[in-house]
Amino acid sequence: MTIAELIVNPGAATDEAAELSALHTRRAEVAADVIEFRNMGDLENNDSYHRSREELSSIDRRIAEVQELVSAASTVTDDGTVRPFSLVTVMFDHDPDDVETFVLTAATGNSADEIATCSPLSPLGRALMGCRVEDERTYVLPTGAESTVTVLSIAAGLERRLLESRTVE
């Protein structure tokens, strides 16, 4: 994956749309399995039924996440706020030596020469959503500790050109 592929703008959310299609197909298969295993009777001792129900729940959660990302991609605007697919520079815990730039996207698979990503569904991503430059937010880390993040810059609409120019170098 190239850096330019990390940014998805309206009409280019093909990876998420493809995943959504695959998830719906898999959901139909698992739902059929649930019905088949339920018809076997004795649901209390039917491990196949319970595994299929758990997989169905997992698929439903992922479908909701991907639908949220696809919906956000279709409404990207340059209103000066952090949105999915924005290029954001932040400072952590008021430390000018702890600054990071990343794209708010679910894309993964970065190599060392590619820009970092942050999921809009992560604690940091959720804290940043809707922020403007100089906004400060506190969020809870997976360890339970709190961290403060300050938005230093936001690029919307310019990020593709910036990333494409970095890819060429």
Side-chain angles (χ1 to χ4, degrees):
M1 178 182 302
T2 67
I3 293 171
E5 292 170 330
L6 295 176
I7 304 298
V8 180
N9 59 20
T14 55
D15 290 343
E16 284 84 1
E19 180 181 2
L20 195 56
S21 176
L23 284 167
H24 281 292
T25 300
R26 181 67 185 140
R27 188 190 189 290
E29 294 168 354
V30 174
D33 289 345
V34 167
I35 292 169
E36 179 183 336
F37 294 135
R38 184 178 52 219
N39 289 337
M40 296 172 121
D42 190 20
L43 296 182
E44 232 176 272
N45 297 312
N46 191 334
D47 290 339
S48 298
Y49 170 78
H50 293 289
R51 277 193 304 274
S52 293
R53 294 271 309 172
E54 288 174 15
E55 184 178 358
L56 192 59
S57 292
S58 175
I59 291 169
D60 286 341
R61 276 191 302 275
R62 183 61 186 154
I63 286 173
E65 290 173 355
V66 174
Q67 283 177 329
E68 184 178 335
L69 292 173
V70 169
S71 173
S74 65
T75 60
V76 172
T77 59
D78 189 3
D79 64 356
T81 63
V82 176
R83 304 251 182 234
F85 314 109
S86 294
L87 181 67
V88 184
T89 301
V90 297
M91 176 175 52
F92 294 97
D93 298 317
H94 307 286
D95 181 358
D97 294 327
D98 194 3
V99 174
E100 187 172 343
T101 300
F102 52 83
V103 176
L104 209 61
T105 179
T108 58
N110 298 337
S111 66
D113 61 355
E114 292 180 337
I115 196 160
T117 61
C118 174
S119 170
L121 303 176
S122 70
L124 173 59
R126 288 184 188 272
L128 290 173
M129 294 298 292
C131 284
R132 295 184 177 279
V133 173
E134 297 184 7
D135 281 357
E136 188 175 287
R137 296 288 190 272
T138 300
Y139 65 102
V140 179
L141 299 168
T143 62
E146 288 188 351
S147 182
T148 301
V149 63
T150 305
V151 178
L152 301 178
S153 70
I154 305 165
L158 301 174
E159 63 268 37
R160 179 171 292 284
R161 287 189 301 242
L162 171 66
L163 293 175
E164 286 173 347
S165 69
R166 288 188 56 184
T167 303
V168 172
E169 293 175 356

